[in-house]
Amino acid sequence: MPVVEARPYAYDLPVDKAAVLVIDMQRDFIEPGGFGECLGNDVSRLQAIVPAVEHLLGLARRMGLPVIHTREAHHPDLSDCPPAKRERGAPSLRIGDEGPMGRILIEGEPGNDFVPTLQPQPGELVISKPGKGAFYATRLTEHLQSRGITHLLVAGVTTEVCVQTTMREANDRGYCCLLLEDCTESYFPEFKQATLQMITAQGGIVGWVAMLDQVLAAIMSEDET
Ligand code: C5J
């Protein structure tokens, strides 16, 4: 079995029980002119990880690992959006309002789609989620159980919000999660670093962290033996 040099210690990767989980690589969070930028965020930080996530998807597809893409999305009538989520804060645009790329966080709108180079391929699972965590109000658990998945290689944005929430949910459900440091990003670099520390503290209380190259190295060294 490949063993990834990870933090806080080595991560055993049973490839027949592993899937790649890509969180919310959506145009509205990542592209200039989208909702994220409209809120005053520097989206170039998030754009910078797109090539690494492409590499991860290429690796998964070559190896035949299941790939799951999530997107934060609500129904057009907002029936799955709690008022507390829509009314929070004093943003210039709220969920469901018309934004630069269509209605904010509404399924089917251009900004809600994945960035062009990270589009799902036929046969890959797409989970639309109304919350930050990918397990809340979705059928992700059932999908993972039906495929015998126990290990998740996690990527996506933003590290401290939807990625961390999903990892904590997965951890509570018994999944062994490895977060790929160069395949995740935040608008706030200090939040990313704090999240990596929180995940790996106390003997990996939430999971493991490694770079994509460390996963590649583990797989290649296994191939050579
Ligand atoms: C946020 C996300 N940040 N995908 N969504 O609201 O992290």
Side-chain angles (χ1 to χ4, degrees):
M1 183 188 326
V3 178
V4 182
E5 261 188 57
R7 307 198 297 279
Y9 62 92
Y11 177 84
D12 293 336
L13 177 59
V15 286
D16 55 332
K17 295 181 182 160
V20 168
L21 180 60
V22 182
I23 308 285
D24 298 3
M25 294 297 286
Q26 296 167 246
R27 296 184 63 200
D28 250 338
F29 293 130
I30 294 170
E31 287 190 3
F35 180 48
E37 189 172 77
C38 167
L39 293 176
N41 296 306
D42 173 8
V43 295
S44 67
R45 298 189 52 76
L46 273 53
Q47 276 187 293
I49 67 159
V50 171
V53 180
E54 264 185 88
H55 283 141
L56 172 64
L57 288 178
L59 174 72
R61 287 164 183 160
R62 283 195 303 280
M63 292 180 65
L65 292 185
V67 176
I68 302 155
H69 307 257
T70 73
R71 63 178 162 217
E72 189 172 345
H74 293 280
H75 302 323
D77 64 2
L78 297 177
S79 56
D80 59 352
C81 182
K85 181 176 182 185
R86 183 170 148 77
E87 287 158 17
R88 187 79 45 84
S92 55
L93 287 174
R94 291 183 189 277
I95 296 169
D97 289 349
E98 200 61 42
M101 292 191 217
R103 292 181 68 201
I104 303 297
L105 288 188
I106 299 298
E107 58 202 18
E109 297 288 335
N112 202 241
D113 197 5
F114 302 103
V115 297
T117 55
L118 302 178
Q119 289 286 324
Q121 286 194 352
E124 294 177 352
L125 182 63
V126 175
I127 296 273
S128 284
K129 59 182 181 64
K132 304 304 181 194
F135 289 82
Y136 168 68
T138 72
R139 295 188 54 79
L140 181 54
T141 304
E142 289 82 347
H143 284 292
L144 296 176
Q145 282 175 349
S146 71
R147 291 167 175 231
I149 303 298
T150 56
H151 286 61
L152 295 170
L153 302 180
V154 184
V157 299
T158 60
T159 316
E160 77 280 12
V161 185
C162 292
V163 172
Q164 178 172 213
T165 305
T166 298
M167 279 188 73
R168 287 175 181 272
E169 288 180 330
N171 189 49
D172 281 350
R173 287 162 176 78
Y175 295 96
C176 296
C177 298
L178 175 67
L179 177 59
L180 297 164
E181 181 172 348
D182 45 348
C183 296
T184 185
E185 197 46 85
S186 168
Y187 298 123
F188 308 97
E190 66 278 22
F191 289 176
K192 173 176 176 177
Q193 288 313 316
T195 303
L196 301 182
Q197 288 172 21
M198 281 188 259
I199 286 168
T200 54
Q202 303 178 71
I205 196 158
V206 177
W208 287 258
V209 171
M211 304 293 274
L212 179 55
D213 271 353
Q214 292 174 304
V215 174
L216 278 169
I219 289 165
M220 282 168 64
S221 95
E222 180 71 9
D223 282 351
E224 284 160 14
T225 56

